[in-house]
Amino acid sequence: MSDIVEVNPAWALLAPVVLGLLALAGAALNGILVARAEGRSFRSGVAIPVFEIARLMRQRRRTTVTADVLLWRIGCAGLVVIAVLKTAVIPVGPWVLADIPVGVVWFNTMDVFVWALMWLIGWGANSAHSLVGGYRFLAQAVSYELPLMFALVTPAVAAHSLRVSDVVAAQQNLWFIVWMPIAFVVFCLSVVAFSNWGPFATSASGDIAGGILTEVSGVDRLLIFAGRYTLLTTGAAFAVALFLGGGAGPLLPGWLWTLVKTLLLLAAFVTLRHRMPAVRPERLAEVAWIIVLPAVLLQTLVVSIVVAVRG
Protein backbone atom coordinates (compact mmCIF):
# COMPACT_ATOMS: atom_id res chain seq x y z
CA MET A 1 0.00 0.00 0.00
CA SER A 2 1.12 3.54 -0.69
CA ASP A 3 2.07 5.89 2.16
CA ILE A 4 1.40 8.94 0.01
CA VAL A 5 -1.60 11.02 1.04
CA GLU A 6 -3.50 13.86 -0.59
CA VAL A 7 -2.97 17.25 1.04
CA ASN A 8 -5.42 20.07 1.53
CA PRO A 9 -6.25 21.74 -1.82
CA ALA A 10 -5.02 25.03 -0.35
CA TRP A 11 -1.46 23.72 -0.79
CA ALA A 12 -2.01 24.11 -4.53
CA LEU A 13 -1.20 27.79 -4.01
CA LEU A 14 2.31 26.81 -2.94
CA ALA A 15 2.95 24.52 -5.92
CA PRO A 16 3.61 27.34 -8.47
CA VAL A 17 5.98 29.01 -6.00
CA VAL A 18 8.06 25.87 -5.48
CA LEU A 19 7.96 25.12 -9.21
CA GLY A 20 9.12 28.68 -9.99
CA LEU A 21 12.02 28.48 -7.54
CA LEU A 22 13.22 25.15 -8.96
CA ALA A 23 12.92 26.48 -12.51
CA LEU A 24 14.86 29.61 -11.51
CA ALA A 25 17.60 27.36 -10.12
CA GLY A 26 17.75 25.61 -13.50
CA ALA A 27 17.96 28.97 -15.27
CA ALA A 28 20.77 30.04 -12.92
CA LEU A 29 22.72 26.88 -13.72
CA ASN A 30 22.29 27.54 -17.43
CA GLY A 31 23.56 31.08 -16.85
CA ILE A 32 26.61 29.73 -15.02
CA LEU A 33 27.41 27.37 -17.90
CA VAL A 34 27.04 30.19 -20.42
CA ALA A 35 29.26 32.50 -18.34
CA ARG A 36 31.88 29.79 -17.96
CA ALA A 37 31.94 29.16 -21.72
CA GLU A 38 32.47 32.89 -22.28
CA GLY A 39 35.21 33.15 -19.65
CA ARG A 40 33.11 35.26 -17.25
CA SER A 41 32.71 34.88 -13.50
CA PHE A 42 30.40 32.49 -11.64
CA ARG A 43 28.53 35.40 -10.08
CA SER A 44 27.73 37.00 -13.42
CA GLY A 45 26.28 33.69 -14.61
CA VAL A 46 23.98 33.38 -11.61
CA ALA A 47 22.70 36.91 -12.24
CA ILE A 48 21.88 36.30 -15.94
CA PRO A 49 18.29 35.06 -15.30
CA VAL A 50 17.56 38.04 -13.02
CA PHE A 51 18.82 40.55 -15.57
CA GLU A 52 16.97 38.76 -18.37
CA ILE A 53 13.69 38.84 -16.43
CA ALA A 54 14.12 42.56 -15.74
CA ARG A 55 14.98 43.25 -19.39
CA LEU A 56 12.01 41.37 -20.79
CA MET A 57 9.60 42.91 -18.28
CA ARG A 58 10.60 46.35 -19.57
CA GLN A 59 10.65 45.38 -23.24
CA ARG A 60 7.70 46.33 -25.41
CA ARG A 61 5.56 43.58 -26.90
CA ARG A 62 6.10 43.15 -30.63
CA THR A 63 3.12 43.02 -32.95
CA THR A 64 2.80 41.78 -36.53
CA VAL A 65 0.32 42.54 -39.30
CA THR A 66 -2.96 40.58 -38.97
CA ALA A 67 -1.60 38.40 -36.18
CA ASP A 68 -4.10 36.17 -34.37
CA VAL A 69 -3.36 37.88 -31.07
CA LEU A 70 -5.66 35.77 -28.88
CA LEU A 71 -4.23 32.42 -30.02
CA TRP A 72 -0.70 33.85 -29.91
CA ARG A 73 -1.10 34.99 -26.30
CA ILE A 74 -2.69 31.67 -25.29
CA GLY A 75 0.27 29.81 -26.74
CA CYS A 76 2.83 31.99 -24.97
CA ALA A 77 1.17 31.86 -21.54
CA GLY A 78 -0.11 28.29 -21.75
CA LEU A 79 3.22 26.51 -21.25
CA VAL A 80 3.52 27.69 -17.64
CA VAL A 81 -0.12 26.75 -17.00
CA ILE A 82 0.48 23.23 -18.32
CA ALA A 83 3.57 22.84 -16.12
CA VAL A 84 1.59 23.92 -13.04
CA LEU A 85 -1.22 21.46 -13.88
CA LYS A 86 1.35 18.66 -14.08
CA THR A 87 2.38 19.27 -10.47
CA ALA A 88 -1.06 18.11 -9.31
CA VAL A 89 -0.12 14.42 -9.66
CA ILE A 90 3.59 14.61 -8.71
CA PRO A 91 4.26 13.30 -5.17
CA VAL A 92 6.58 15.41 -3.03
CA GLY A 93 7.73 12.95 -0.40
CA PRO A 94 4.58 11.67 1.36
CA TRP A 95 2.27 14.33 -0.11
CA VAL A 96 0.48 14.86 -3.40
CA LEU A 97 -2.17 17.36 -4.45
CA ALA A 98 -4.36 14.91 -6.41
CA ASP A 99 -3.74 11.18 -6.12
CA ILE A 100 -6.02 10.35 -9.05
CA PRO A 101 -6.29 6.78 -10.42
CA VAL A 102 -4.98 7.88 -13.84
CA GLY A 103 -2.11 10.14 -12.78
CA VAL A 104 0.25 8.77 -15.45
CA VAL A 105 -2.34 9.45 -18.16
CA TRP A 106 -2.91 12.96 -16.77
CA PHE A 107 0.79 13.77 -17.15
CA ASN A 108 0.86 12.49 -20.72
CA THR A 109 -2.31 14.42 -21.57
CA MET A 110 -0.62 17.64 -20.46
CA ASP A 111 2.28 16.80 -22.79
CA VAL A 112 -0.11 16.61 -25.73
CA PHE A 113 -1.40 20.09 -24.89
CA VAL A 114 2.18 21.31 -25.37
CA TRP A 115 1.83 20.32 -29.04
CA ALA A 116 -1.10 22.68 -29.45
CA LEU A 117 0.52 25.54 -27.55
CA MET A 118 3.78 25.41 -29.53
CA TRP A 119 1.75 25.38 -32.73
CA LEU A 120 -0.28 28.39 -31.57
CA ILE A 121 2.92 30.32 -30.90
CA GLY A 122 4.08 29.62 -34.45
CA TRP A 123 0.69 30.15 -36.09
CA GLY A 124 -0.54 33.17 -34.16
CA ALA A 125 2.33 35.46 -35.12
CA ASN A 126 1.41 35.36 -38.84
CA SER A 127 5.09 35.08 -39.70
CA ALA A 128 6.77 32.63 -42.07
CA HIS A 129 9.68 31.87 -39.74
CA SER A 130 7.38 31.37 -36.75
CA LEU A 131 5.17 29.05 -38.79
CA VAL A 132 8.15 26.94 -39.90
CA GLY A 133 9.16 26.71 -36.23
CA GLY A 134 5.70 25.47 -35.33
CA TYR A 135 5.85 22.82 -38.06
CA ARG A 136 9.28 21.73 -36.85
CA PHE A 137 8.00 21.18 -33.33
CA LEU A 138 5.06 19.11 -34.59
CA ALA A 139 7.44 16.98 -36.67
CA GLN A 140 9.59 16.47 -33.59
CA ALA A 141 6.56 15.71 -31.41
CA VAL A 142 5.34 12.98 -33.75
CA SER A 143 8.75 11.31 -33.32
CA TYR A 144 9.03 11.39 -29.53
CA GLU A 145 5.41 10.98 -28.42
CA LEU A 146 4.93 7.25 -29.09
CA PRO A 147 8.22 6.23 -27.41
CA LEU A 148 7.27 8.53 -24.52
CA MET A 149 3.91 6.79 -24.10
CA PHE A 150 5.56 3.37 -23.84
CA ALA A 151 8.18 4.76 -21.45
CA LEU A 152 5.31 5.95 -19.23
CA VAL A 153 3.40 2.67 -19.52
CA THR A 154 6.36 0.50 -18.50
CA PRO A 155 6.54 1.50 -14.79
CA ALA A 156 2.72 1.50 -14.68
CA VAL A 157 2.75 -2.13 -15.86
CA ALA A 158 5.23 -3.05 -13.15
CA ALA A 159 3.11 -1.33 -10.50
CA HIS A 160 -0.20 -2.73 -11.83
CA SER A 161 -1.56 0.82 -11.67
CA LEU A 162 -1.71 4.18 -13.41
CA ARG A 163 -1.82 5.91 -10.01
CA VAL A 164 1.50 7.66 -9.44
CA SER A 165 1.54 6.89 -5.70
CA ASP A 166 1.23 3.17 -6.50
CA VAL A 167 4.18 3.42 -8.89
CA VAL A 168 6.27 5.02 -6.12
CA ALA A 169 5.16 2.38 -3.59
CA ALA A 170 6.13 -0.43 -5.99
CA GLN A 171 9.76 0.78 -5.82
CA GLN A 172 10.22 0.17 -2.08
CA ASN A 173 12.65 -2.69 -2.64
CA LEU A 174 14.16 -1.72 -6.00
CA TRP A 175 13.98 1.51 -7.99
CA PHE A 176 12.61 1.03 -11.46
CA ILE A 177 15.62 2.71 -13.08
CA VAL A 178 17.62 -0.44 -12.21
CA TRP A 179 15.59 -2.77 -14.43
CA MET A 180 13.99 -0.21 -16.75
CA PRO A 181 17.00 1.84 -17.93
CA ILE A 182 15.76 2.15 -21.52
CA ALA A 183 12.37 3.49 -20.43
CA PHE A 184 14.12 5.94 -18.09
CA VAL A 185 16.44 7.28 -20.79
CA VAL A 186 13.60 7.55 -23.33
CA PHE A 187 11.43 9.40 -20.83
CA CYS A 188 14.21 11.84 -19.95
CA LEU A 189 15.00 12.58 -23.60
CA SER A 190 11.29 13.08 -24.25
CA VAL A 191 11.15 15.60 -21.40
CA VAL A 192 13.96 17.54 -23.07
CA ALA A 193 12.11 17.31 -26.39
CA PHE A 194 8.66 18.49 -25.22
CA SER A 195 10.38 21.31 -23.29
CA ASN A 196 11.86 22.45 -26.63
CA TRP A 197 15.26 22.40 -25.03
CA GLY A 198 18.88 21.83 -25.99
CA PRO A 199 19.41 19.39 -28.89
CA PHE A 200 15.65 19.35 -29.52
CA ALA A 201 15.14 23.11 -29.75
CA THR A 202 15.36 23.32 -33.54
CA SER A 203 11.91 24.94 -33.70
CA ALA A 204 13.57 28.02 -32.20
CA SER A 205 16.95 27.77 -33.91
CA GLY A 206 18.94 30.43 -35.70
CA ASP A 207 18.70 28.90 -39.18
CA ILE A 208 15.04 30.00 -39.28
CA ALA A 209 15.71 33.34 -37.60
CA GLY A 210 14.54 32.08 -34.22
CA GLY A 211 11.52 30.11 -35.43
CA ILE A 212 8.66 30.34 -32.93
CA LEU A 213 10.60 33.04 -31.06
CA THR A 214 11.11 35.28 -34.10
CA GLU A 215 8.28 37.71 -33.41
CA VAL A 216 8.02 37.19 -29.64
CA SER A 217 9.29 39.84 -27.22
CA GLY A 218 8.66 41.32 -23.81
CA VAL A 219 6.39 39.46 -21.40
CA ASP A 220 5.44 36.92 -24.08
CA ARG A 221 9.05 35.88 -24.55
CA LEU A 222 9.53 35.72 -20.79
CA LEU A 223 6.51 33.43 -20.44
CA ILE A 224 7.85 31.07 -23.13
CA PHE A 225 11.25 30.87 -21.44
CA ALA A 226 9.56 30.32 -18.07
CA GLY A 227 7.41 27.63 -19.64
CA ARG A 228 10.41 25.77 -21.01
CA TYR A 229 12.17 25.74 -17.64
CA THR A 230 9.04 24.75 -15.71
CA LEU A 231 8.34 21.92 -18.16
CA LEU A 232 11.89 20.66 -17.64
CA THR A 233 11.36 20.85 -13.88
CA THR A 234 8.07 18.98 -13.81
CA GLY A 235 9.52 16.38 -16.18
CA ALA A 236 12.45 15.86 -13.81
CA ALA A 237 10.10 15.57 -10.82
CA PHE A 238 7.91 13.03 -12.60
CA ALA A 239 10.98 10.96 -13.55
CA VAL A 240 11.85 10.89 -9.84
CA ALA A 241 8.42 9.47 -9.04
CA LEU A 242 8.39 6.92 -11.88
CA PHE A 243 11.96 5.64 -11.82
CA LEU A 244 13.95 6.97 -8.83
CA GLY A 245 11.80 5.87 -5.91
CA GLY A 246 10.11 9.19 -5.23
CA GLY A 247 11.06 10.40 -1.76
CA ALA A 248 12.92 7.21 -0.81
CA GLY A 249 16.36 7.75 0.71
CA PRO A 250 18.33 7.63 3.95
CA LEU A 251 18.50 10.28 6.71
CA LEU A 252 16.65 13.10 4.93
CA PRO A 253 12.82 13.44 4.96
CA GLY A 254 10.99 12.22 1.87
CA TRP A 255 10.00 15.67 0.59
CA LEU A 256 13.62 16.81 0.72
CA TRP A 257 14.83 13.73 -1.14
CA THR A 258 12.27 14.45 -3.85
CA LEU A 259 13.58 18.00 -4.26
CA VAL A 260 17.23 16.88 -4.24
CA LYS A 261 16.65 14.22 -6.89
CA THR A 262 14.61 16.65 -8.98
CA LEU A 263 17.35 19.28 -8.85
CA LEU A 264 20.04 16.77 -9.82
CA LEU A 265 18.02 15.54 -12.80
CA LEU A 266 17.12 19.10 -13.78
CA ALA A 267 20.83 19.96 -13.70
CA ALA A 268 21.49 17.05 -16.07
CA PHE A 269 18.80 18.31 -18.46
CA VAL A 270 20.18 21.85 -18.42
CA THR A 271 23.74 20.63 -18.95
CA LEU A 272 22.64 18.53 -21.93
CA ARG A 273 22.07 21.77 -23.85
CA HIS A 274 25.80 22.50 -23.70
CA ARG A 275 26.96 18.95 -24.44
CA MET A 276 24.91 17.81 -27.44
CA PRO A 277 24.49 19.31 -30.91
CA ALA A 278 21.06 20.10 -32.32
CA VAL A 279 19.15 17.15 -33.76
CA ARG A 280 17.16 18.01 -36.86
CA PRO A 281 13.56 16.70 -36.94
CA GLU A 282 14.12 14.35 -39.90
CA ARG A 283 17.14 12.77 -38.18
CA LEU A 284 15.19 12.46 -34.95
CA ALA A 285 12.37 10.71 -36.83
CA GLU A 286 14.78 8.13 -38.26
CA VAL A 287 16.31 7.31 -34.89
CA ALA A 288 12.98 7.41 -33.02
CA TRP A 289 11.11 5.06 -35.35
CA ILE A 290 13.91 2.67 -36.27
CA ILE A 291 15.85 2.40 -32.98
CA VAL A 292 14.15 4.06 -30.00
CA LEU A 293 10.59 2.78 -30.46
CA PRO A 294 11.59 -0.90 -30.89
CA ALA A 295 13.96 -0.59 -27.91
CA VAL A 296 11.35 0.82 -25.56
CA LEU A 297 8.79 -1.72 -26.82
CA LEU A 298 11.27 -4.47 -25.97
CA GLN A 299 11.72 -2.90 -22.52
CA THR A 300 7.95 -2.93 -21.97
CA LEU A 301 7.74 -6.55 -23.15
CA VAL A 302 10.49 -7.67 -20.74
CA VAL A 303 8.81 -5.89 -17.83
CA SER A 304 5.44 -7.41 -18.75
CA ILE A 305 6.93 -10.92 -18.85
CA VAL A 306 8.63 -10.44 -15.46
CA VAL A 307 5.40 -9.15 -13.92
CA ALA A 308 3.41 -12.07 -15.41
CA VAL A 309 5.92 -14.66 -14.14
CA ARG A 310 5.87 -13.18 -10.65
CA GLY A 311 2.10 -13.37 -10.72
Side-chain angles (χ1 to χ4, degrees):
M1 291 294 292
S2 171
D3 296 326
I4 296 174
V5 297
E6 289 189 4
V7 297
N8 190 298
W11 284 98
L13 299 175
L14 183 61
V17 177
V18 175
L19 177 61
L21 291 174
L22 293 174
L24 188 60
L29 174 59
N30 184 65
I32 291 170
L33 295 174
V34 170
R36 181 180 177 185
E38 296 175 352
R40 294 188 283 122
S41 67
F42 172 91
R43 185 176 300 177
S44 66
V46 173
I48 286 178
V50 178
F51 292 146
E52 187 67 6
I53 291 171
R55 183 183 71 83
L56 292 176
M57 289 291 288
R58 296 195 308 269
Q59 191 178 65
R60 186 175 180 179
R61 272 178 166 172
R62 185 177 302 159
T63 58
T64 56
V65 178
T66 65
D68 194 325
V69 177
L70 177 60
L71 296 183
W72 199 10
R73 301 291 185 249
I74 290 173
C76 294
L79 296 177
V80 175
V81 175
I82 291 299
V84 172
L85 290 174
K86 285 184 176 186
T87 63
V89 297
I90 299 176
V92 180
W95 309 304
V96 66
L97 288 172
D99 193 21
I100 60 177
V102 289
V104 174
V105 177
W106 171 267
F107 188 90
N108 190 231
T109 302
M110 295 301 104
D111 292 337
V112 175
F113 275 112
V114 174
W115 290 40
L117 294 172
M118 289 292 188
W119 170 252
L120 290 181
I121 296 172
W123 170 267
N126 191 32
S127 165
H129 291 117
S130 296
L131 188 60
V132 171
Y135 274 120
R136 275 194 180 179
F137 186 84
L138 291 184
Q140 174 176 285
V142 169
S143 301
Y144 76 71
E145 186 60 35
L146 199 55
L148 170 60
M149 291 173 63
F150 282 105
L152 287 168
V153 164
T154 304
V157 168
H160 301 278
S161 176
L162 290 168
R163 191 187 299 269
V164 182
S165 61
D166 292 340
V167 177
V168 174
Q171 300 176 69
Q172 289 181 349
N173 298 320
L174 183 67
W175 293 359
F176 283 165
I177 188 178
V178 176
W179 62 299
M180 304 178 193
I182 297 174
F184 173 72
V185 171
V186 170
F187 177 79
C188 289
L189 291 177
S190 297
V191 169
V192 176
F194 69 61
S195 302
N196 199 27
W197 183 259
F200 307 118
T202 54
S203 64
S205 63
D207 67 312
I208 48 174
I212 60 172
L213 300 177
T214 304
E215 307 295 346
V216 181
S217 62
V219 174
D220 294 328
R221 197 178 189 92
L222 176 60
L223 286 171
I224 293 175
F225 286 159
R228 294 166 76 182
Y229 279 109
T230 51
L231 287 172
L232 279 176
T233 304
T234 52
F238 205 66
V240 169
L242 289 188
F243 298 99
L244 300 178
L251 302 177
L252 301 177
W255 65 269
L256 189 53
W257 268 119
T258 300
L259 294 181
V260 169
K261 293 175 185 177
T262 299
L263 282 171
L264 290 175
L265 202 50
L266 177 61
F269 292 163
V270 172
T271 305
L272 193 66
R273 177 183 183 182
H274 304 270
R275 294 291 182 269
M276 281 186 65
V279 180
R280 294 184 61 85
E282 68 272 17
R283 297 296 185 189
L284 177 61
E286 291 178 6
V287 175
W289 289 96
I290 297 174
I291 299 175
V292 178
L293 182 57
V296 74
L297 278 171
L298 180 62
Q299 175 80 95
T300 306
L301 176 62
V302 170
V303 171
S304 300
I305 292 173
V306 171
V307 170
V309 170
R310 287 180 176 178

